[in-house]
Each structure stands twice: as structure tokens, then as C-alpha cells.
Amino acid sequence: MNMMGPPLTTSHVERMMLLFAVWEGRNGARSRESNELACRLAAAVTPAFLAALADRHGIEPSHGGRIALTGGSDDHGALDIATTWTACGAGTVDEFLAGIARGEGSVGGAHGSTAKLAHAVAALFANAYRIAGAELPDTVRAQVEQLFDRDAGDAAERHR
């Protein structure tokens, strides 16, 4: 397995709690368990907890002690567009972002899975292959077109 960097430690997460007031609480490409862990960690943050972390790490908190959550499909393969989202009652983009920062947003939609991630990677590969001018072999063309080129009435069914 290829790692992008060293493993996250408790110290890393504590410093992220100090530095970032908004976290992604539901990522449509990540498992329910990973998403729920991020939400539980964010919910544990209080002003008193941040003060203790600031003392431990020598970093002043960049926010007042509450981590707001967002959600997004993280859909680089264009298979699950808008199946995970953030809602916040607002009339403009600026009002929306301000509401999210105040913790007024809510997350909704699907969690990710190994199958969704595999399909997104395969879609990226197939699209890059075709963009480069290559033709898909006849043996897989129909399957690729069915899985990656047509809108699915039910995205979850496509992944099954």
C-alpha cells in the first residue's frame, strides 16, 4: 500500500482541532465509520478542551471552541454528484458560508464505501484513457459506458 505521508497521530488531530473551525463531517467517498468518527471528534471540542490543547501544543485556537460540520460527495469520478451535501438556510453564497461557519449547517446524503471509491477510480481511469485519444476495447466498451457514461436512476444500485 502506498501512503501519502506518515500516519495521523493523536497530536495531529488535536492540532487540527485547534486550527480548523469547520470540518467535513460527511464525505461521500468515505465510510460511515470514518465520517462518524470525524463527527464525534468535532463534537468533543469545547472552549475548555481547546484551552487544554492550546497549553499542550503551544498553539492558540483559531476559533471559539466549536467545530462546525459540512458534507460533500467528493465525487471526482462524476458518478455520485450531489448524493452527499451540506444544507444551510441562506439566500446568498456569503450568507451560506457565514451560516456554515456559525455551525448552522446540516449534512445529508450518502456515506461512501469501498465500491464507490473503486468505481470513482475506475471512472477517472476510463475517462483519462479516452481523453488521451485511446479507444476502449470492444470487450469492455458496453460495460464501461453502462457503468460510467449513463446517469443512474439509483446511484446506490449502480454500485451494487
Side-chain angles (χ1 to χ4, degrees):
M1 183 167 143
N2 230 352
M3 299 211 38
M4 293 178 60
L8 285 176
T9 66
T10 301
S11 178
H12 290 127
V13 174
E14 289 174 349
R15 288 180 282 165
M16 287 188 283
M17 290 173 161
L18 288 162
L19 295 172
F20 302 106
V22 179
W23 286 14
E24 190 170 49
R26 183 164 308 174
N27 179 313
R30 301 292 177 263
S31 69
R32 173 183 298 274
E33 295 80 13
S34 294
N35 290 332
E36 289 176 352
L37 174 60
C39 291
R40 286 194 311 273
L41 289 168
V45 174
T46 64
F49 185 66
L50 277 187
L53 292 180
D55 287 343
R56 179 179 305 149
H57 295 287
I59 299 172
E60 283 302 312
S62 68
H63 57 91
R66 181 171 181 219
I67 294 178
L69 298 172
T70 64
S73 59
D74 198 8
D75 182 30
H76 299 278
L79 298 175
D80 297 295
I81 296 170
T83 57
T84 308
W85 60 87
T86 304
C88 186
T92 68
V93 171
D94 288 339
E95 291 170 353
F96 177 82
L97 294 174
I100 296 300
R102 289 189 302 268
E104 297 168 0
S106 62
V107 300
H111 296 279
S113 68
T114 305
K116 281 176 75 172
L117 183 57
H119 289 158
V121 169
L124 289 169
F125 173 77
N127 290 334
Y129 186 78
R130 292 186 286 194
I131 288 168
E135 296 266 338
L136 291 170
D138 290 337
T139 55
V140 297
R141 181 178 295 117
Q143 243 181 338
V144 167
E145 289 172 353
Q146 168 127 11
L147 284 172
F148 304 132
D149 295 345
R150 296 192 183 112
D151 286 338
D154 180 356
E157 182 59 34
R158 177 197 332 239
H159 295 303
R160 274 191 285 285

